[in-house]
Amino acid sequence: MVQALLMALLALFNGTQGPTFWYFFREPVMAGFWVGLIYGDPVMGTMIGATINVSYLGWISAGGANASDLYWAGLLGTFVAIQGGMDIQQAVAFAVPVGLLGNYMHVAYMTIASIWPVRMDKLAEKGNWKGIRRLQLLGGPSVVVLVRCIPVFVIAYFGSEYIQILIDSLPTWAMNGLSATGKLLPALGMSMLMKFMWKKELAIFFVLGFTVAAYSGMTDLLLYAILGTVLAVVLLKLGFQAKPKEVE
Amino acid sequence: MEQIRLTKKDVNKAVGWWWFTSHMTYNYQRLQAGPLAGMMGPILNKLYKGDKEKVSEGLVRHMQYFNTEPRWGAILPGMVVALEEGMANDASGEIDGSMITEIKTALMGPLAGIGDTIWAGLIKPVILSIILSWAQEGNVWAAWLYGIGVTALDFAVTYIMFTQGYKLGMDSIDKFLEGGFIAKVTTFLGIVGLFCLGAMIVKYVTISAVLTLEMTTTTLDFGAILNQIFPCSVPLALTFLAYWLQVKGRSVTTVLLILFVIGFAGGAIGFLG
């Protein structure tokens, strides 16, 4: 009961919009930590959250469109994995349907919250700026309680015992399928990033990074960040410049 | 006409409000109109000394549709504060309300595009990918490093852009765009980003072909052969497939489902693992 309530509280922070909430509660690596803490294994939670997070590396929400629900993929994905005692790869695959479910909640949130500007218009006409500020602070979170906290509470409270039973009943081939999916899904995160970053005249640097990593097996990313920075600084000094990307 | 100027404290309060609440009640109908109107509330109240009618006029003006990138785009709300201050102190009527709205409408789109490319497309994923590789090894401090570090960075960028926008007022955006600054930044981040992305595929996409064929004399291990010819070719090919599907206009959700099916079927049959 206490754990389910804590999960509901976490769902509120996880779903509330704002920089502090995004980085401390929404990002799956942090969501995983909190879920792990609630269920007694923050280290495992962090590892699961981080692995789920990779699939969402290129996640972006432009104009309120939700590419896929980052919020619940981390929160409930970690929950299911910890409760069901799955290995990490399987947890990643499991986060997918959960994330899709969360997508509906995001749409519901954005739609229901659309009633608030109508109220704000009325307050604006009366010159009541304090009222607008109050509504701006409380309007969104109140919708989050409705569309995210309550469902998470129900899942955490009633779902725990069934998750274990469900997972135990899965045949080996299905577990193999889930494991393979978990290893493949980070490709989604990479492809989203690629869509953002890809520039023909810079593609050669992608080839370089991939080749070095694939053949040498060195995959410490800090190494590549430093090498890449050095490369970029030198080239810019030499006057190299890519054409500015068209912005919409 | 009596001049009422905003103090540094007023501007700082506006930045704080913008930073904390820019998405708090985000919605399909008006996106960031609420936070902007809320931000202007105390400022209008001070500039017009509590004149209800003037304050309300300003609030209605800023309740119009608004949406930009909250960090790099913070230059725009900064400018709006400066423009409103200018308008309140301007007897000649050179600045009027519709002009402020026009500037907002003209700039919010391009700034959102630039901001998203730099932040969500480059800076955040590169930081995140390094952090995640530490966190996957079970380092809880890495998760916190991300939370604290990126929050601080987010605030720093927002604060700098907002105050710059306020200071430079009208011509700030032109200076910003013409100086070739953006082109330099995106080239720099593009090189670092794509270089890292190549390595990230090797690190994170760990799927491989596991198909083996039992021959009479020997066992044919396709995965090992593939890796010998071209290491990590399966992750690379599947990442490009996902990329290509998105370029072809498939939604992320569709691509996600396609990958799910490929992975699940491949794993269940025993091709992938």
Side-chain angles (χ1 to χ4, degrees), chain A residues 192-210:
Chain A
M192 283 195 270
L193 275 183
M194 200 181 265
K195 190 162 171 260
F196 242 109
M197 293 180 181
W198 199 260
K199 273 188 199 163
K200 264 206 187 109
E201 60 266 50
L202 297 181
I204 195 73
F205 297 103
F206 171 82
V207 176
L208 186 63
F210 178 82

Side-chain angles (χ1 to χ4, degrees), chain A residues 18-78:
Chain A
T20 31
F21 302 100
W22 294 337
Y23 308 129
F24 282 102
F25 298 101
R26 185 181 72 181
E27 204 69 52
V29 63
M30 278 305 276
F33 164 80
W34 292 113
V35 174
L37 193 67
I38 291 173
Y39 289 96
D41 196 346
V43 175
M44 192 63 189
T46 305
M47 288 163 74
I48 296 169
T51 311
I52 293 171
N53 215 156
V54 175
S55 304
Y56 293 87
L57 259 178
W59 188 90
I60 182 188
S61 166
N66 199 11
S68 177
D69 201 62
L70 179 73
Y71 306 76
W72 275 9
L75 185 77
L76 290 178
T78 310

Side-chain angles (χ1 to χ4, degrees), chain A residues 16-24 26-27 29-30 33-34 42-43 46-47 50-51 53-54 56-60 62-64 67-68 89 93 96-97 100 103 106-107 109-111 113-114 116-118 120-121 123-129 132-133 135-141 173-174 176-178 180-181 183-188 190-199 202-203 205-206 208-210 213-215 219 221-222 224-225 227-229 231-233 235-236 240-242 244-245 247-248, chain B residues 17 19-31 34-35 37-39 41-42 45 52 55-57 59-60 63 67 70-71 109-110 113-114 116-117 119-122 124-126 128-140 143-144 146-148 150-151 154 180 183-184 186-188 190-207 229-233 235-236 238-240 242-243 246-247 252-253 255-257 259-260 262-268 272-273:
Chain A
T16 299
Q17 303 280 1
T20 31
F21 302 100
W22 294 337
Y23 308 129
F24 282 102
R26 185 181 72 181
E27 204 69 52
V29 63
M30 278 305 276
F33 164 80
W34 292 113
V43 175
T46 305
M47 288 163 74
T51 311
N53 215 156
V54 175
Y56 293 87
L57 259 178
W59 188 90
I60 182 188
S68 177
Q89 300 307 338
V96 171
L100 291 178
N103 231 344
H106 184 75
V107 174
Y109 167 84
M110 292 293 282
T111 309
S114 294
W116 297 125
V118 179
M120 286 179 178
D121 281 341
L123 293 167
E125 271 160 34
K126 286 184 207 135
N128 184 353
W129 56 273
I132 294 181
R133 282 166 83 94
L135 204 51
Q136 177 66 19
L137 282 174
L138 299 177
W173 59 266
N176 287 343
L178 285 177
T181 308
K183 288 182 189 166
L184 172 59
L185 281 179
L188 179 71
M190 301 302 132
S191 67
M192 283 195 270
L193 275 183
M194 200 181 265
K195 190 162 171 260
F196 242 109
M197 293 180 181
W198 199 260
K199 273 188 199 163
L202 297 181
F205 297 103
F206 171 82
L208 186 63
F210 178 82
Y215 281 90
T219 52
L221 288 168
L222 199 54
Y224 292 88
L227 284 183
T229 306
L231 205 61
V233 168
L235 285 169
L236 279 175
F240 174 86
Q241 199 166 83
K245 197 178 181 178
V247 282
E248 71 269 30
Chain B
W17 170 267
W19 182 71
F20 192 71
T21 74
S22 71
H23 285 70
M24 209 96 176
T25 300
Y26 210 48
N27 59 79
Y28 283 139
Q29 196 203 17
R30 224 73 68 79
L31 294 128
M39 178 190 88
N45 193 50
K52 274 260 167 182
V55 171
S56 142
E57 236 175 69
L59 289 177
V60 171
M63 271 311 293
N67 191 41
R71 305 155 201 100
I114 294 168
D116 280 341
T117 309
W119 182 263
L122 293 165
K124 200 182 123 195
V126 169
L128 193 53
S129 64
I130 293 168
I131 296 272
L132 289 181
S133 61
W134 290 329
Q136 277 186 323
E137 286 156 18
N139 296 306
V140 170
W144 281 92
Y146 174 82
I148 295 166
V150 175
T151 304
D154 187 299
K184 269 203 186 109
T186 50
T187 305
F188 175 82
I191 293 173
V192 180
L194 281 169
F195 185 67
C196 288
L197 184 62
M200 272 150 68
I201 290 176
V202 176
K203 183 174 182 75
Y204 288 128
V205 190
T206 50
I207 191 86
I229 302 170
F230 186 22
C232 301
S233 46
L236 186 67
L238 288 169
T239 306
F240 267 109
Y243 166 72
Q246 283 174 65
V247 172
V252 171
T253 307
V255 179
L256 180 74
L257 287 174
L259 289 181
F260 192 95
I262 294 176
F264 192 81
L272 299 171

Side-chain angles (χ1 to χ4, degrees), chain B residues 193-221:
Chain B
L194 281 169
F195 185 67
C196 288
L197 184 62
M200 272 150 68
I201 290 176
V202 176
K203 183 174 182 75
Y204 288 128
V205 190
T206 50
I207 191 86
S208 56
V210 290
L211 184 66
T212 50
L213 268 188
E214 299 284 341
M215 311 282 268
T216 43
T217 48
T218 171
T219 309
L220 212 56
D221 184 343

Side-chain angles (χ1 to χ4, degrees), chain B residues 77-153:
Chain B
M79 282 172 68
V80 168
V81 172
L83 289 169
E84 284 283 352
E85 185 182 352
M87 186 168 88
N89 289 310
D90 171 38
S92 68
E94 207 175 283
I95 307 174
D96 65 8
S98 62
M99 189 182 102
I100 296 180
T101 305
E102 276 163 26
I103 290 172
K104 271 164 59 183
T105 315
L107 292 177
M108 64 187 185
L111 282 172
I114 294 168
D116 280 341
T117 309
I118 296 180
W119 182 263
L122 293 165
I123 293 180
K124 200 182 123 195
V126 169
I127 294 176
L128 193 53
S129 64
I130 293 168
I131 296 272
L132 289 181
S133 61
W134 290 329
Q136 277 186 323
E137 286 156 18
N139 296 306
V140 170
W141 56 261
W144 281 92
L145 182 66
Y146 174 82
I148 295 166
V150 175
T151 304
L153 184 64

